[in-house]
Amino acid sequence: MRVLVVEDDDLLGGALQTGLRDRGFVIDWVRDGIGADTMLRTGEYAAVVLDLGLPRRGGLEVLRTARARGDRVPVLVLTARDAVEDRIAGLDTGSDDYVVKPVAISELAARLRALIRRAHGAGSNLLAVGGLTLDAHSREVSFRGQRVELHASEFALLRELMLNSGRVLTREQLEASLYDLDRAAESNTIEVFVHRLRRKLAPEVIRTIRGVGYLLPRDAAKDDDA
Ligand code: CA
């Protein structure tokens, strides 16, 4: 899950980047409002962590601009403890949630997971598609009732496909959800991970749509025909 962090404070931004990466998020970090606006227009983000007091363009302005052009990405605003008006302004402008500084990373991560789930119409940490279940919190995956051990990148890829089951995802979309800007993918890594997932699960779980990308059908491998 690729998340944009917008925070001009180096210490806090660095802590958010490290802490959220440790919890399985892919993080791009920008330090001002113009940068945030540019990234939101070009990148594909599952959610945004947005500070309000930013150089060059304030966070509320960034949010207002994004909502005005129809961007519905979930936005979590960072506010100071006593800044009730900031929270209200953020919510009124179209933010989805807020966290009060000083930030507890584990709480922020939990709120991000909740926002991303809600944006995908899922009600809990447990994703279930066909014969697959995936727990985004405990990071456990089972297939046809059997636990499956996945490496971090395989898990991230499967989660993205499950969150978007029934939709074709391009290789570029999958890469964007798996890699930070400063850790670019090698050209064949998505194919490699898809291959590994098919081997660990079943070949038919992930369909290749030639010339477009990959699809996890909504009824993926539901029937145990073994
Ligand atoms: Ca700030």
Side-chain angles (χ1 to χ4, degrees), residues 7-8 51 53:
E7 172 57 62
D8 59 313
D51 185 31

Side-chain angles (χ1 to χ4, degrees), residues 61-198:
E61 185 61 31
V62 171
L63 182 55
R64 194 174 292 121
T65 308
R67 293 300 185 236
R69 69 166 178 270
D71 189 338
R72 297 176 56 173
V73 64
V75 174
L76 188 149
V77 161
L78 299 177
T79 72
R81 184 164 292 285
D82 51 358
V84 179
E85 280 164 21
D86 277 1
R87 278 171 238 160
I88 294 169
L91 291 167
D92 281 346
T93 307
S95 76
D96 300 275
D97 199 359
Y98 63 86
V99 161
V100 171
K101 299 185 208 181
V103 176
I105 301 272
S106 49
E107 182 194 354
L108 182 78
R111 285 176 182 267
L112 279 174
R113 284 193 296 269
L115 284 182
I116 293 166
R117 272 195 325 258
R118 261 186 264 150
H120 285 88
S124 79
N125 275 317
L126 199 67
L127 283 172
V129 179
L132 279 162
T133 59
L134 177 148
D135 188 320
H137 188 59
S138 70
R139 306 179 73 79
E140 289 176 5
V141 173
S142 66
F143 179 59
R144 291 174 175 158
Q146 303 286 317
R147 274 288 294 280
V148 183
E149 297 301 327
L150 299 181
H151 294 294
S153 297
E154 297 161 2
F155 178 89
L157 181 66
L158 182 64
R159 178 174 57 189
E160 196 66 19
L161 286 163
M162 288 177 73
L163 278 170
N164 294 285
S165 64
R167 269 181 57 202
V168 182
L169 294 176
T170 65
R171 203 175 74 184
E172 291 72 24
Q173 285 173 319
L174 290 168
E175 280 173 356
S177 73
L178 255 61
Y179 299 101
D180 310 319
L181 290 180
D182 49 353
R183 291 189 287 186
E186 288 175 35
S187 62
N188 63 349
T189 42
I190 296 295
E191 281 88 339
V192 170
F193 292 141
V194 166
H195 175 74
R196 289 192 194 147
L197 279 174
R198 283 177 173 150

